[in-house]
Amino acid sequence: MLKSPRRISAKSSIGKCKTSVSSSSRNSSRGPGGRYTTTMMEHVSFPALSRVAICGGTHGNEMSGICLVRDLQKRQVKKVGSVSLTTVLSNPRAMEACRRYMDTDLNRCFTNAQLSAQITDDSPYEVRRAQQLNIQLGPKGSQEGFDLVFDLHNTTANVDLCLLFHASDQIALHLYKYIQEKITSVPVRCILMQHSLADAYSLDSLGKHGLSIEIGPQPNGVIRADIFHLMKDAVDKSLDWVQSFNSGNFFEGSEMEAYVLERSVDYPRDPKTHEITAAIHPQLQDNDFCLLKPGDPIFLSFSGETIIYDGKELHPFFVNECAYYEKKIAFHLARKITLTVPSISVKKD
């Protein structure tokens, strides 16, 4: 028998995250009405994207990126038109063990502090590996780094096709726009990251431009044909856009929707044992990016009690992500914004 619902406060159980645009976001600023606008210019240009890296296996049990990179390596795909292509299996030991990581999450190891940390006998494997990847794909923040880095991920959450990148990366914004136009079989969304370059912790931050492609749901250690081919399509479309950009084509600016992380919500827990006492409510499960309103159910306790949301309207994502149990995250909450981005083209010599 279900008990009467109780409320869970957005403030009491949620860890806040900074949402202001960082000082490194040179081309973005917060505008009125929840909009982000780039620096007021009608057009910007960038050098050709000659060197592109495609990385899979940053998490060793996310199989779509692993299989896609292995397939490219098997077919010895090293050049696509004007693009020199490098494929990377990022975390070989975790892949061999079919685990997310061995010692620590590799996709949190790319801050400047970790990349410059002295390596000792006690250093985690993933910190060592991050420094190796920085040599191969970077150095981070330098002109010697790869022009564009793709990092391929899966999630157990029902996010469909989701791109994660820095708010100021206009190349990534136009890639998002192009993929959203070309792939219509599933929703295509983006989540804006707002760390400074020094604090950016993900592998894709090693390149001059970069983005993570996140597709789900897919269980860890499993390859699903539909998810694999959706990822392959996203990578293929991305390379099509890069080739078109390098060829001198002009890309119009536009307004686009995006999501900005506000905070994270933990599971209800026993105050003494700290064990979880509830699961994601069935009405929220698999409804990533829905509009969560006050009074909506978010958890169903093991004793049958419905726990409702008591906060401002936001959008949940990475709902019930398997890897986030250890991080004490049941789901993230984001606000939806409108981005205004300029037109772009390749920089002429």
Side-chain angles (χ1 to χ4, degrees):
M1 180 175 179
L2 295 181
K3 298 182 179 180
S4 299
R6 66 180 172 92
R7 294 180 179 272
I8 184 167
S9 168
K11 295 180 180 179
S12 63
S13 64
I14 297 173
K16 291 189 176 180
C17 174
K18 292 182 180 179
T19 56
S20 59
V21 178
S22 66
S23 59
S24 69
S25 301
R26 299 181 302 275
N27 300 313
S28 297
S29 61
R30 180 76 182 272
R35 293 173 181 264
Y36 277 79
T37 57
T38 56
T39 302
M40 295 305 294
M41 56 178 69
E42 293 183 358
H43 180 77
V44 292
S45 60
F46 294 94
L49 305 170
S50 302
R51 295 196 303 155
V52 174
I54 298 178
C55 306
T58 300
H59 294 137
N61 56 6
E62 296 177 5
M63 298 303 296
S64 295
I66 294 170
C67 292
L68 194 152
V69 168
R70 282 175 172 165
D71 180 65
L72 290 171
Q73 291 178 343
K74 181 179 179 180
R75 294 189 287 116
Q76 299 184 336
V77 179
K78 297 182 179 179
K79 196 168 183 65
V80 179
S82 60
V83 177
S84 174
L85 199 63
T86 295
T87 52
V88 179
L89 292 169
S90 309
N91 197 336
R93 290 189 188 176
M95 288 167 45
E96 184 177 357
C98 198
R99 293 169 52 178
R100 182 175 176 88
Y101 58 80
M102 300 305 293
D103 297 325
T104 191
D105 192 335
L106 177 60
N107 213 35
R108 302 296 185 272
C109 289
F110 295 94
T111 63
N112 283 8
Q114 288 167 302
L115 292 176
S116 60
Q118 183 176 356
I119 296 299
T120 68
D121 292 342
D122 296 327
S123 296
Y125 164 69
E126 277 81 8
V127 172
R128 298 168 183 265
R129 183 62 180 145
Q131 294 192 7
Q132 293 170 358
L133 290 166
N134 187 43
I135 294 171
Q136 180 181 4
L137 302 177
K140 180 179 177 179
S142 73
Q143 290 303 307
E144 289 74 43
F146 268 63
D147 297 311
L148 180 59
V149 175
F150 294 96
D151 194 22
L152 309 181
H153 290 267
N154 291 120
T155 172
T156 60
N158 189 32
V159 301
D160 295 304
L161 173 49
C162 190
L163 308 180
L164 291 81
F165 52 85
H166 197 276
S168 66
D169 193 335
Q170 294 165 2
I171 292 290
L173 284 167
H174 275 271
L175 279 164
Y176 164 51
K177 178 175 181 285
Y178 185 81
I179 292 171
Q180 192 177 63
E181 290 171 351
K182 296 299 182 181
I183 297 180
T184 58
S185 57
V186 299
V188 179
R189 305 179 180 94
C190 82
I191 299 166
L192 297 181
M193 311 300 289
Q194 298 187 300
H195 306 90
S196 68
L197 181 61
D199 293 332
Y201 51 72
S202 56
L203 185 152
D204 59 274
S205 67
L206 295 179
K208 297 173 188 173
H209 305 278
L211 70 159
S212 294
I213 299 177
E214 189 91 46
I215 304 181
Q218 178 169 280
N220 294 331
V222 170
I223 183 73
R224 283 180 46 166
D226 56 340
I227 300 296
F228 172 84
H229 286 283
L230 179 58
M231 181 170 284
K232 183 177 184 300
D233 196 18
V235 170
D236 288 345
K237 295 292 190 297
S238 297
L239 293 176
D240 288 345
W241 184 90
V242 171
Q243 294 228 67
S244 183
F245 173 80
N246 288 348
S247 298
N249 287 318
F250 177 90
F251 294 91
E252 292 283 355
S254 67
E255 289 191 343
M256 295 178 290
E257 289 185 344
Y259 294 86
V260 177
L261 174 67
E262 285 232 339
R263 55 183 73 99
S264 302
V265 180
D266 192 7
Y267 292 90
R269 294 180 181 274
D270 184 284
K272 294 182 179 179
T273 66
H274 306 295
E275 296 295 330
I276 65 172
T277 58
I280 297 293
H281 195 280
Q283 290 187 36
L284 179 58
Q285 181 64 50
D286 299 325
N287 280 318
D288 295 67
F289 297 104
C290 68
L291 182 61
L292 190 62
K293 300 178 181 180
D296 286 346
I298 53 175
F299 296 110
L300 185 61
S301 76
F302 301 148
S303 61
E305 179 183 12
T306 295
I307 302 169
I308 62 176
Y309 178 64
D310 184 18
K312 66 180 182 180
E313 294 185 356
L314 291 169
H315 299 266
F317 68 98
F318 290 148
V319 175
N320 206 11
E321 160 59 42
C322 174
Y324 285 0
Y325 277 74
E326 69 176 23
K327 301 178 188 295
K328 294 182 169 57
I329 296 173
F331 53 87
H332 291 311
L333 286 170
R335 55 191 166 86
K336 186 189 291 187
I337 64 169
T338 299
L339 288 166
T340 302
V341 296
S343 60
I344 66 171
S345 64
V346 69
K347 186 177 289 185
K348 304 294 185 182
D349 294 331

